[in-house]
Amino acid sequence: MWRLVWLVTSLIAAGCGGDEQVVAASGSPFDTTQADAGVDATATSDDVSTADTAMPDVAAPDVGVDSALVPPVPDAAIDAGRALTIGERCFADRMPSSGQFEGPNYDQFAPVVGAHCQGTNHQHIYGIEQVVFLGDSVTVGTPPTVSGDFYRTRLADALADTFHLEKPQYLWQTVDPFDGTAVRQTSGSFLSCAKWGARADDLLGGGEQIAKCFPYGGSDQRTLIVMTMGGNDIAAISKAGGAEGQSLTEVRAMTEAAVADFEAAVRWLKDPVRFPNGSFVVFANPFEFTDGTGDTTSCPAANLTDLEPWENPQDLTDLVIWLNEQLMRVAVDTATDMVFMLEHFCGHGYVATGANADPTARCYLGPATPRWFDATCIHPNPVGHDVIAEMFKAVVDEAP
């Protein structure tokens, strides 16, 4: 919900550590106009695909919503007697003084947003028999955080309790530092095919993450797929238009290809023929560490990267905003769910926390706000991993 030129520069170091035809969204792909104030950010379940209603009859849990997770309603919207935008409803504490959010316009796709505001609520997830983790280094986990604190480890334990699954063993939780993957791919009811440095084309192409986790072309088990993806794509886009000097036309095509690769993968994972007993997908949008300021010097490790500015930074901003919007479109079009990792991590980075915190930063949340990033700048610390696990769990637990 804020300008994202800083998102790209912060993720330039993220590389360390399909059969479906994708239809582009209508309108200009780089239109960042804000949603009409009359659009209701919480569309009814009738607006969502009914694909899940054909699933086998499995008893669903009675899930309540923790009232502590529900943000206060902005007075301005109440006074105006209009529907809230997603930004007003969920991120009012990060609203600039102008009262207008700048950044991804999620409202244009009318997603169903969870009461907890941790992400969308398009799926009724229950009766899960196996859980598969795909994606990048955020999902795999990285040092100096220990394996027991990785979000996938914590989330796996929580999901095992919720769905009465066999928990994964220690080797599944740990990371092979030479390969950048989990030491053991399968353990208990859990699989992990995520890898350090992965990009969207590594899901169905390149790294063949989906093929590795689903070698028989799908599964007859009711499956939940969890992933973080997009940070390394943004890093590559930034490098292409900056250090490599590629044209805007070339980088636009690169950005569109990343979205197409991601959408093709999600559609594959939601194919009822491949998953006759049901599949559910929950993914997160990529975060960044500068708290909406673009100050990459705030984290010392960021200075080790080879950053070169774009001739027109606004072009980069528009590309990244569009990419994030398209992730939401994919969630709506495929009746899957997106976790608001970008938005919730803003205010917990290197500019808005610590002894030298900048109280004028867009996402500044107060002097006692904890930092959620580790010394690499681009990965979560144990507290950040715990927050990610809680966000995914909140989205999984809430029924439409």
Side-chain angles (χ1 to χ4, degrees):
M1 298 303 181
W2 36 82
R3 305 200 73 78
L4 293 178
V5 64
W6 33 263
L7 173 61
V8 187
T9 56
S10 71
L11 289 171
I12 194 69
C16 304
D19 294 329
E20 294 280 354
Q21 180 178 2
V22 180
V23 181
S26 60
S28 171
F30 306 106
D31 180 8
T32 58
T33 305
Q34 294 299 303
D36 188 301
V39 174
D40 188 347
T42 55
T44 67
S45 58
D46 292 338
D47 296 322
V48 182
S49 170
T50 59
D52 292 339
T53 62
M55 300 299 182
D57 185 12
V58 181
D62 182 12
V63 179
V65 177
D66 185 349
S67 60
L69 293 174
V70 181
V73 178
D75 292 337
I78 295 176
D79 293 341
R82 59 173 173 79
L84 300 176
T85 65
I86 294 174
E88 290 172 332
R89 175 185 163 191
C90 295
F91 311 112
D93 55 350
R94 295 164 174 82
M95 185 181 291
S97 58
S98 66
Q100 296 295 318
F101 284 99
E102 297 177 332
N105 170 13
Y106 300 140
D107 297 89
Q108 65 181 302
F109 306 114
V112 179
V113 175
H116 44 62
C117 282
Q118 304 298 301
T120 62
N121 186 19
H122 298 146
Q123 303 170 104
H124 189 182
I125 303 173
Y126 62 92
I128 298 302
E129 297 174 288
Q130 70 173 354
V131 180
V132 175
F133 288 86
L134 304 174
D136 54 26
S137 57
V138 176
T139 291
V140 181
T142 56
T145 300
V146 298
S147 59
D149 288 332
F150 296 160
Y151 99 78
R152 70 179 171 95
T153 299
R154 296 185 176 190
L155 182 59
D157 284 345
L159 293 174
D161 290 337
T162 297
F163 299 115
H164 309 293
L165 304 174
E166 181 183 351
K167 293 186 177 183
Q169 300 302 308
Y170 176 72
L171 289 180
W172 181 89
Q173 300 173 4
T174 57
V175 175
D176 178 349
F178 300 101
D179 191 48
T181 60
V183 170
R184 178 170 293 175
Q185 178 177 302
T186 304
S187 182
S189 303
F190 295 83
L191 294 85
S192 177
C193 293
K195 186 172 183 175
W196 291 357
R199 290 161 54 175
D201 61 357
D202 285 313
L203 292 170
L204 280 175
E208 299 183 329
Q209 289 191 21
I210 288 177
K212 290 175 181 177
C213 269
F214 301 104
Y216 302 108
S219 176
D220 59 1
Q221 291 186 293
R222 195 171 175 87
T223 304
L224 170 63
I225 299 100
V226 174
M227 63 178 159
T228 57
M229 185 62 81
N232 294 303
D233 291 281
I234 292 175
I237 290 164
S238 178
K239 184 177 180 180
E244 296 178 355
Q246 295 188 37
S247 69
L248 180 57
T249 298
E250 292 174 312
V251 182
R252 279 181 174 173
M254 184 178 178
T255 308
E256 291 169 352
V259 171
D261 287 332
F262 184 78
E263 181 168 7
V266 173
R267 291 188 180 280
W268 193 103
L269 294 167
K270 286 293 291 182
D271 186 343
V273 175
R274 299 181 186 277
F275 297 89
N277 291 306
S279 63
F280 306 88
V281 179
V282 184
F283 61 87
N285 58 3
F287 54 27
E288 66 88 37
F289 70 90
T290 76
D291 301 304
T293 67
D295 181 11
T296 59
T297 65
S298 61
C299 179
N303 296 325
L304 301 177
T305 62
D306 181 20
L307 299 178
E308 290 190 23
W310 281 39
E311 182 176 349
N312 183 3
Q314 185 60 46
D315 290 336
L316 183 56
T317 299
D318 292 346
L319 285 168
V320 179
I321 287 175
W322 181 78
L323 185 148
N324 275 268
E325 290 175 341
Q326 293 307 298
L327 294 184
M328 176 61 83
R329 179 187 61 78
V330 170
V332 172
D333 288 353
T334 61
T336 56
D337 285 303
M338 187 177 85
V339 171
F340 294 131
M341 193 166 69
L342 165 65
E343 288 78 10
H344 282 289
F345 267 71
C346 195
H348 296 275
Y350 272 84
V351 173
T353 64
N356 299 316
D358 180 3
T360 68
R362 170 65 58 82
C363 297
Y364 181 73
L365 300 173
T369 301
R371 183 173 295 160
W372 293 352
F373 291 87
D374 68 15
T376 69
C377 311
I378 58 175
H379 298 119
N381 61 20
V383 177
H385 272 286
D386 188 52
V387 170
I388 295 173
E390 290 179 354
M391 287 194 291
F392 271 109
K393 189 61 165 57
V395 170
V396 169
D397 283 348
E398 188 176 42

